[in-house]
């Protein structure tokens, strides 16, 4: 107890940084509203994919539904990163959003390919 308080004070003083206001007005713009709608769609789709994946229970179509679930989860994380970047909370690198959308498309494509292979 005696040593933890001075250590906490040193850490608190060492990590001092400027505080800036969050740009909340960005959410009311059309790109912000579209990002929120895509985020809600991705979350709802991920929930539905998880329910279907739990019903399939690792059957032949289990891998394709797992890939669909991963693709929608990546899409949701991408939209969260986009919103955080537009509200100026976190500085997201320029390459992160296109790379994660590419990953999402690849996962969705391989899910469709796996389902086609199993069904056809």
């Amino acid at each position: 107890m005696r040593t933890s308080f001075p250590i906490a004070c040193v850490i608190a003083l060492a990590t001092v940084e400027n505080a800036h206001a969050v740009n909340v007005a960005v959410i009311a713009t059309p790109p912000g509203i579209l990002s929120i709608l895509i985020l809600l769609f991705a979350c709802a789709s991920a929930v539905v994919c998880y329910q279907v994946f739990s019903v399939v229970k690792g059957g032949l179509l289990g891998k394709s539904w797992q890939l669909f679930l991963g693709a929608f989860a990546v899409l949701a994380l991408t939209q969260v990163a986009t919103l955080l970047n537009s509200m100026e909370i976190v500085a997201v690198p320029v390459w992160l959003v296109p790379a994660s959308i590419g990953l999402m498309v690849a996962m969705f494509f391989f899910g469709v390919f796996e389902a086609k292979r199993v069904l056809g």
Side-chain angles (χ1 to χ4, degrees):
M1 181 71 175
R2 290 184 185 179
T3 59
S4 63
F5 183 71
I7 291 173
C9 288
V10 168
I11 290 173
L13 290 174
T15 59
V16 173
E17 198 169 315
N18 293 335
H20 300 284
V22 176
N23 191 3
V24 183
V26 173
I27 295 176
T29 62
I33 294 171
L34 185 62
S35 292
I36 290 173
L37 289 176
I38 292 172
L39 174 64
L40 293 175
F41 172 74
C43 291
S45 300
V47 168
V48 169
C49 285
Y50 180 74
Q51 290 174 349
V52 172
F53 177 68
S54 65
V55 168
V56 174
K57 295 181 183 170
L60 294 175
L61 290 174
K63 187 173 181 180
S64 65
W65 282 103
Q66 190 175 18
L67 285 167
F68 292 149
L69 175 63
F72 284 121
V74 168
L75 178 62
L77 290 175
T78 302
Q79 291 305 311
V80 168
T82 303
L83 285 170
L84 290 177
N85 189 32
S86 65
M87 289 190 308
E88 299 172 356
I89 295 175
V90 177
V92 177
V94 177
W95 56 267
L96 185 68
V97 172
S100 58
I101 289 176
L103 176 67
M104 183 268 307
V105 168
M107 290 176 74
F108 197 77
F109 173 75
F110 285 126
V112 170
F113 182 74
E114 185 70 24
K116 182 180 179 266
R117 186 185 65 79
V118 168
L119 295 176

